[in-house]
């Protein structure tokens, strides 16, 4: 179980505010990374910013800054926002980082020398927002000519001399790869979109933009063999996944072959559904050309709508993770995005929904459970940890059986949910388990046991409940680490956590999965109950 695990998010464009959809991707990836840390595996979790785009250059000009200054500022804000979301990343990579530039130049040169990159005149329809060339049939008909399907904006007819990557050469190999590795792209239904795209025949794609004639467009990494050209932003961006784990390109100041081999091939790229083509068609071909193994898995999540409508930078109806956290806090943001939305499909954000969901699951279900059990234990046993002698009222299912049923005796149900990237399913297991503990209270009626003087049964009941809460605290950690910390501290079980250091130097207190399970001998030091999950209220308009 000590196999290294490498997970990445896509990298964010710094030319606009992070929206809650990308927050979902980053938090979802953080959950998977944290779960693997709980398994005791060495984890590397990378996220960052995709900076070399013309949109960045335009935004910088507008702000009166150089592209680099502008990106420093924006990347700083995105990073700070991720910290507020409690994202435990190992590297925040920026495509303007010097090590990435070296790796990128080395790989494009390698492809050039291998004959996979060649020069040709090109004319095509270009969406400046997507930064992608489209063929006529991939566009929508607009009033002023062909439009981008995503952005509903007119496309520019661009003619220039570019370098191209021989994607067509890898068509058969890609078909075979998809056939032999049905799990390469998940969820299943996304695979058909990509395989039918490949079936239509692959066209070579541009890996450069000519930069000299247009003085304003020079923000990017120059092609090492023709520095008048800069490397196309997508080619540049995808390579971040190699740079982040120290790909040992000659001249890379951060290169480290042993480290790279430890974490590559990547276990999973978590991405949005709109960029599957880049990650499962272009990217594999680029890697094959460089003689590098492919990532094991690409997982594409859906989009988050805002109050039932598609969020769009261009149309300005966007909600940011920071805005949500300002109203409801990071625990609520994380819990709501993951528990209320199916990661593989499209989701939704609405203020009234986050209030309802978090109050139901966190305050009413889990918060009440912890509060009731700790209060009763303190009241009936004066702070001494109750001991489980296994004496329950007849016909009542004990906590160990409930634990096995909902989480798995050793967390098997949780592992299965993480393996399938079923993050809402993971949350549902935890909610069901907490509900079953509340039900256990209703069935055993500890207050009645106290009244009748049956101290022995009362002690077993409360000991089992505390042990249930300890397991609840462990299970919650990947999703809402701060809430898990609060629960474990409340029952004095922080000691089960192991200290782990991220590559950034940040220290994490990780409750290991091996500590999940029923342990009747576990002794706890209870403290006065504090409200863990204050009830949320929707902000007034
Ligand atoms: Zn577009």
């Amino acid at each position: 179980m000590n196999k290294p695990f490498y997970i990445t998010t896509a990298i964010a464009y710094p030319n606009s505010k992070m929206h809650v959809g990308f927050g979902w991707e980053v938090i979802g990836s953080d959950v998977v990374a944290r779960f693997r840390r709980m398994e005791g595996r060495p984890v590397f979790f990378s996220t960052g910013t995709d900076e070399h785009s013309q949109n960045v250059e335009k935004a910088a000009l507008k702000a009166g800054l150089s592209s680099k200054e502008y990106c420093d500022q924006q990347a700083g804000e995105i990073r700070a926002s991720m910290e507020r979301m409690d994202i435990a990343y190992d590297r925040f990579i920026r495509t303007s980082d010097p090590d990435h530039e070296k790796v990128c130049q080395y790989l494009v040169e390698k492809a050039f020398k291998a004959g996979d990159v060649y020069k040709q005149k090109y004319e095509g329809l270009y969406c400046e927002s997507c930064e992608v060339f489209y063929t006529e049939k991939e566009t929508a008909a607009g009033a002023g000519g062909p439009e981008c399907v995503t952005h509903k904006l007119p496309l520019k007819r661009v003619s220039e001399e570019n370098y191209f990557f021989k994607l067509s050469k890898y068509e058969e190999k890609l078909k075979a790869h998809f056939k032999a590795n049905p799990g390469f792209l998940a969820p299943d239904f996304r695979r058909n979109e990509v395989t039918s795209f490949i079936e239509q025949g692959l066209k070579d794609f541009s890996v450069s933009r000519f930069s000299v004639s247009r003085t304003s467009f020079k923000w990017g990494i120059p092609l090492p063999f023709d520095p008048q050209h800069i490397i196309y932003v997508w080619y540049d961006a995808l390579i971040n996944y190699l740079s982040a784990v120290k790909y040992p390109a000659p001249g890379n100041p951060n290169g480290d072959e042993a480290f790279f081999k430890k974490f590559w091939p990547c276990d999973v790229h978590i991405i949005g559904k709109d960029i599957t083509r880049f990650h499962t068609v272009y990217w594999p071909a680029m890697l094959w050309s460089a003689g590098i193994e492919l990532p094991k898995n690409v997982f594409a999540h859906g989009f988050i709508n805002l109050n039932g409508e598609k969020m769009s930078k261009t149309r300005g109806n966007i909600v940011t993770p920071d805005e949500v956290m300002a109203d409801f806090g990071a625990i609520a943001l994380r819990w709501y995005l993951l528990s209320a939305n199916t990661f593989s499909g499209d989701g939704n954000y609405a203020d009234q929904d986050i209030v309802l969901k978090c109050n139901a699951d966190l305050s009413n279900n889990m918060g009440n459970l912890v509060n009731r059990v700790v209060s009763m234990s303190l009241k009936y046993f004066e702070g001494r940890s109750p001991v489980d002698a296994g004496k329950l009222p007849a016909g009542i299912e004990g906590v160990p059986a409930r634990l096995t049923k909902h989480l798995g005796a050793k967390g098997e149900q949780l592992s299965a949910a993480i393996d399938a990237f079923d993050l809402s399913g993971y949350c549902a297991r935890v909610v069901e388990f907490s509900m079953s503990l509340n039900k256990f209270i209703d069935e055993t009626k500890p207050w009645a046991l106290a009244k009748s003087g049956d101290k022995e049964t009362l002690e077993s009941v409360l000991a089992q409940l505390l042990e249930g809460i300890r397991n609840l605290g462990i299970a919650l950690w990947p999703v809402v680490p701060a809430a898990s910390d609060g629960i474990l501290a409340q029952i004095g079980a922080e000691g089960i956590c192991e200290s782990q250091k991220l590559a950034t130097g940040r220290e994490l207190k990780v409750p290991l999965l091996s500590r999940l399970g029923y342990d009747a001998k576990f002794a706890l030091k209870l403290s006065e109950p504090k409200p863990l999950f204050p009830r949320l209220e929707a902000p007034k308009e």
Side-chain angles (χ1 to χ4, degrees):
M1 232 16 197
N2 283 327
K3 252 178 35 201
F5 183 79
Y6 177 30
I7 180 170
T8 70
T9 71
I11 47 178
Y13 295 126
N15 54 299
S16 58
K17 281 190 178 159
M18 186 201 300
H19 61 82
V20 91
F22 185 64
W24 191 31
E25 173 171 323
V26 178
I27 295 170
S29 307
D30 188 52
V31 172
V32 176
R34 283 176 185 266
F35 191 84
R36 299 301 177 210
R37 296 186 205 278
M38 284 174 72
E39 292 179 320
R41 294 172 67 172
V43 170
F44 198 87
F45 171 25
S46 173
T47 185
T49 42
D50 177 5
E51 303 187 355
H52 292 132
S53 90
Q54 291 180 30
N55 293 320
V56 162
E57 207 163 22
K58 280 184 216 157
L61 273 175
K62 222 170 126 186
L65 297 169
S66 73
S67 297
K68 180 75 171 94
E69 287 166 340
Y70 175 80
C71 284
D72 288 348
Q73 192 181 28
Q74 297 293 107
E77 278 179 28
I78 290 172
R79 196 172 174 156
S81 174
M82 284 192 191
E83 268 147 35
R84 285 189 284 275
M85 287 191 272
D86 205 358
I87 305 301
Y89 57 79
D90 290 281
R91 177 151 184 199
F92 187 94
I93 187 168
R94 299 177 52 187
T95 52
S96 61
D97 288 339
D99 63 330
H100 170 73
E101 296 193 354
K102 278 276 181 276
V103 173
C104 208
Q105 287 190 316
Y106 172 72
L107 288 173
V108 76
E109 183 148 43
K110 200 169 174 188
F112 183 65
K113 284 179 178 160
D116 280 349
V117 164
Y118 62 94
K119 197 174 187 179
Q120 198 179 57
K121 198 170 158 72
Y122 182 79
E123 199 184 275
L125 294 163
Y126 190 73
C127 172
E128 293 188 318
S129 291
C130 299
E131 304 200 41
V132 168
F133 281 101
Y134 290 108
T135 62
E136 207 86 40
K137 63 179 175 195
E138 291 171 318
T139 63
E147 281 183 355
C148 168
V149 176
T150 310
H151 291 98
K152 315 268 183 271
L153 292 170
L155 295 163
K156 255 193 178 171
R157 200 166 288 277
V158 174
S159 166
E160 57 186 16
E161 207 168 43
N162 270 338
Y163 285 88
F164 282 83
F165 179 84
K166 269 189 196 160
L167 184 63
S168 50
K169 175 176 155 187
Y170 295 96
E171 189 173 315
E172 291 311 314
K173 199 166 177 178
L174 271 164
K175 284 181 191 164
H177 185 74
F178 270 93
K179 216 168 194 170
N181 302 278
F184 178 55
L185 171 60
D188 285 351
F189 58 88
R190 299 267 173 242
R191 201 160 50 240
N192 303 334
E193 297 166 9
V194 174
T195 47
S196 69
F197 172 75
I198 300 169
E199 290 299 330
Q200 285 166 30
L202 295 177
K203 289 197 186 65
D204 297 349
F205 70 93
S206 153
V207 296
S208 72
R209 295 191 62 77
F210 189 61
S211 66
V212 163
S213 63
R214 284 169 286 175
T215 48
S216 66
F217 297 144
K218 59 190 172 201
W219 173 237
I221 305 174
L223 274 182
F225 46 87
D226 191 347
Q228 286 188 321
H229 291 258
I230 53 171
I231 300 173
Y232 172 55
V233 64
W234 266 105
Y235 197 88
D236 167 352
L238 287 162
I239 289 171
N240 96 82
Y241 301 130
L242 299 172
S243 319
V245 282
K246 306 175 188 271
Y247 178 78
N252 176 5
N254 197 31
D256 182 337
E257 194 169 355
F259 189 91
F260 179 73
K261 280 187 172 157
K262 179 176 173 187
F263 287 107
W264 194 270
C266 183
D267 291 88
V268 61
H269 296 312
I270 305 273
I271 58 165
K273 65 179 182 182
D274 53 333
I275 54 175
T276 49
R277 190 180 297 179
F278 295 98
H279 284 79
T280 61
V281 180
Y282 292 21
W283 182 223
M286 287 166 62
L287 289 167
W288 279 324
S289 167
I292 301 170
E293 270 187 87
L294 303 199
K296 292 174 203 159
N297 192 204
V298 175
F299 181 87
H301 63 81
F303 288 157
I304 291 272
N305 294 320
L306 177 58
N307 301 315
E309 275 182 48
K310 189 173 188 276
M311 269 192 282
S312 147
K313 284 177 197 169
T314 335
R315 277 176 283 154
N317 60 328
I318 278 183
V319 66
T320 70
D322 281 325
E323 286 163 349
V324 178
M325 287 189 286
D327 287 335
F328 306 114
I331 291 178
L333 171 75
R334 291 179 68 108
W335 182 258
Y336 172 75
L337 284 179
L338 294 180
S339 68
N341 298 292
T342 308
F343 205 40
S344 56
D346 286 339
N348 188 53
Y349 177 85
D351 280 347
Q352 61 269 36
D353 293 346
I354 189 173
V355 168
L356 283 174
K357 181 74 179 153
C358 291
N359 285 346
D361 293 347
L362 301 178
S363 310
N364 298 352
N365 181 357
M366 300 179 207
N368 260 338
L369 168 74
V370 176
N371 192 287
R372 287 207 284 174
V373 172
V374 172
S375 302
M376 286 191 287
S377 301
L378 288 173
K379 186 172 164 196
Y380 300 134
F381 296 92
E382 288 103 31
R384 172 176 72 78
S385 181
V387 178
D388 180 19
K391 196 167 178 297
L392 295 182
I396 288 174
E397 188 182 45
V399 169
R402 293 170 200 245
L403 175 77
T404 304
K405 187 158 144 195
H406 299 290
L407 306 184
K410 294 189 174 74
E412 295 88 342
Q413 307 243 32
L414 300 177
S415 298
I418 294 290
D419 289 347
F421 301 101
D422 177 13
L423 305 182
S424 54
Y426 184 101
C427 296
R429 300 294 92 74
V430 178
V431 168
E432 287 158 12
F433 177 57
S434 180
M435 284 172 74
S436 88
L437 295 181
N438 275 316
K439 202 161 163 246
F440 181 73
I441 299 180
D442 298 341
E443 287 166 4
T444 52
K445 299 185 181 61
W447 52 90
L449 293 170
K451 214 171 168 185
S452 72
D454 186 355
K455 260 227 142 139
E456 225 180 311
T457 309
L458 175 65
E459 183 155 12
S460 287
V461 163
L462 288 175
Q464 293 204 5
L465 280 164
L466 283 167
E467 192 41 16
I469 289 172
R470 189 181 68 88
N471 280 286
L472 176 69
I474 297 173
L476 271 180
W477 187 76
V479 186
V480 278
S484 159
D485 293 349
I487 290 175
L488 294 176
Q490 182 81 89
I491 59 167
E494 315 95 312
I496 62 166
C497 295
E498 179 192 86
S499 176
Q500 289 182 13
K501 219 171 197 168
L502 302 179
T504 56
R506 179 181 165 192
E507 208 168 307
L508 288 183
K509 298 279 181 215
V510 184
L512 293 184
L513 195 64
S514 57
R515 304 306 295 267
L516 193 134
Y518 195 81
D519 179 2
K521 289 178 291 300
F522 208 85
L524 302 158
K525 279 199 186 67
L526 309 178
S527 51
E528 280 301 322
K530 279 177 289 197
L532 290 163
F533 306 105
R535 287 186 67 81
L536 304 182
E537 269 175 57
K540 294 184 178 67
E541 288 305 312

